[in-house]
Amino acid sequence: MAVTIAGEPDATLDAPAREEWLARCETAYATVYRALIAMGATLDDAADALQDAFEEALRQRTPVIRADGWLFVVANRKWRRARWRRRIFRPLGVVRATTGSDRDEEIDLLRELGRLTERQRTVIVARYVLGLSQRDIGDMLGIAPGTVAATVHQTTALLRERLIGGTK
Amino acid sequence: MSDIDTEVKRLFDERLGTLTPPPRTERRARRGLRVAAAAAIATLGFAGAGLVVNVNAVAATNGVDCANFLTKVQVWAQSHRSDLAGTDHSAAKAELAKLVAASGCSPHDSTHDSTHTRPHH
């Protein structure tokens, strides 16, 4: 998954721009945290991944247009890597016992999101939780805007049918 | 027309709206890593101390406890080599004897009491 939504790749952040960038990351913090939970992360994993992403944001030297999108992509990548590391180092039985959390039973939305494909989930979370435009999502994931639009449409219909029942 | 379904959006807001991230503190995983690093350092420290004790013990057994530490390590290594199967034991022992002789320690040193100040008779 490409980390784009970037501005000029050759430009560098001066001190005021850097402060503004970090302020935008701070503002996006809670939203991206919720987006990671929607992607399937546990509360602790989401906090850890976001913390790591924020540390990377502190090292960011080039301008980024959408701080929330950038933070989401980086945190999501870090969470998935951490999850793979854990799967490698933990016995399979333990992984099976811990991946299905009690929360899934309580919250239908998260369970239904977990049934989607990785791309569907990422697109729908970026659209509904982060509020990114289709164009921004396309830039963020490196896919065509038409594909984003179709994915949003199909996945919304799917979620609507499973969670609310019936079509719009 | 917006592609956002207001009812689905409301579900997202209801489910996720109450979740607030914890304050940005030190990562849990990093804390775990730090504990593991401390344990590894402690283990290395204990292993190193054990090795030093063993080197000194072997040196004392071979009568070179007055020698410098490097010589003691050589004696220790030579002593272990002579214990290995498949080696020329007599050659290794001769080499060990040569090291002991070169150390300049007298046989008395091996039983020397450090609190003892008067010369032996």
Side-chain angles (χ1 to χ4, degrees), chain B residues 17 37 48 51 66 78 85 112:
Chain B
L51 186 66
C66 74
Q78 198 61 46
H112 182 70

Side-chain angles (χ1 to χ4, degrees), chain B residues 44-86:
Chain B
L44 277 175
F46 279 120
L51 186 66
V52 168
V53 168
N54 189 237
V55 165
N56 281 324
V58 170
T61 306
N62 288 287
V64 288
D65 53 350
C66 74
N68 62 35
F69 190 70
L70 185 65
T71 308
K72 285 180 183 179
V73 171
Q74 284 174 324
V75 168
W76 178 83
Q78 198 61 46
S79 164
H80 279 75
R81 194 182 302 166
S82 65
D83 288 342
L84 285 176

Side-chain angles (χ1 to χ4, degrees), chain A residues 11-52:
Chain A
T12 53
L13 293 173
D14 55 11
R18 194 171 156 66
E19 272 185 31
E20 195 240 332
W21 155 246
L22 292 176
R24 282 195 290 138
C25 286
E26 283 277 7
T27 308
Y29 205 79
T31 313
V32 175
Y33 175 73
R34 290 179 194 122
L36 289 173
I37 307 279
M39 288 297 291
T42 63
L43 301 180
D44 285 338
D45 285 354
D48 283 347
L50 193 50
Q51 178 74 15
D52 279 354

Side-chain angles (χ1 to χ4, degrees), chain B:
Chain B
M1 195 182 83
S2 171
D3 60 332
I4 296 262
D5 183 311
T6 50
E7 286 183 72
V8 174
K9 172 73 176 141
R10 183 180 52 78
L11 281 179
F12 270 96
D13 292 344
E14 280 176 4
R15 298 298 196 199
L16 302 169
T18 53
L19 297 171
T20 49
R24 287 212 314 278
T25 53
E26 194 180 359
R27 271 181 97 262
R28 290 176 306 110
R30 294 261 163 86
R31 281 207 298 271
L33 201 66
R34 201 168 288 177
V35 169
I41 289 169
T43 306
L44 277 175
F46 279 120
L51 186 66
V52 168
V53 168
N54 189 237
V55 165
N56 281 324
V58 170
T61 306
N62 288 287
V64 288
D65 53 350
C66 74
N68 62 35
F69 190 70
L70 185 65
T71 308
K72 285 180 183 179
V73 171
Q74 284 174 324
V75 168
W76 178 83
Q78 198 61 46
S79 164
H80 279 75
R81 194 182 302 166
S82 65
D83 288 342
L84 285 176
T87 55
D88 184 350
H89 292 275
S90 55
K93 280 183 179 163
E95 185 69 27
L96 182 60
K98 203 188 289 178
L99 272 171
V100 172
S103 71
C105 296
S106 68
H108 158 74
D109 288 333
S110 62
T111 53
H112 182 70
D113 176 2
S114 61
T115 59
H116 178 72
T117 51
R118 286 190 307 165
H120 273 267
H121 298 290

Side-chain angles (χ1 to χ4, degrees), chain A residues 85-130:
Chain A
R85 270 200 300 272
R86 262 204 312 277
R87 280 183 185 175
I88 290 167
F89 291 115
R90 267 192 203 172
L92 192 61
V94 178
V95 174
R96 278 189 186 142
T98 53
T99 45
S101 71
D102 296 340
R103 204 189 59 213
D104 291 350
E105 297 303 317
E106 298 164 15
I107 303 174
D108 292 334
L109 174 69
L110 297 184
R111 193 180 62 218
E112 293 306 331
L113 285 171
R115 290 171 64 189
L116 302 174
T117 65
E118 181 81 20
R119 177 183 281 188
Q120 284 177 326
R121 194 162 52 239
T122 309
V123 167
I124 213 74
V125 166
R127 187 75 187 103
Y128 278 89
V129 182
L130 299 176

Side-chain angles (χ1 to χ4, degrees), chain A residues 153-166:
Chain A
H153 180 75
Q154 286 164 3
T155 313
T156 300
L158 201 64
L159 285 176
R160 189 181 168 80
E161 188 187 329
R162 287 175 181 174
L163 295 168
I164 302 164

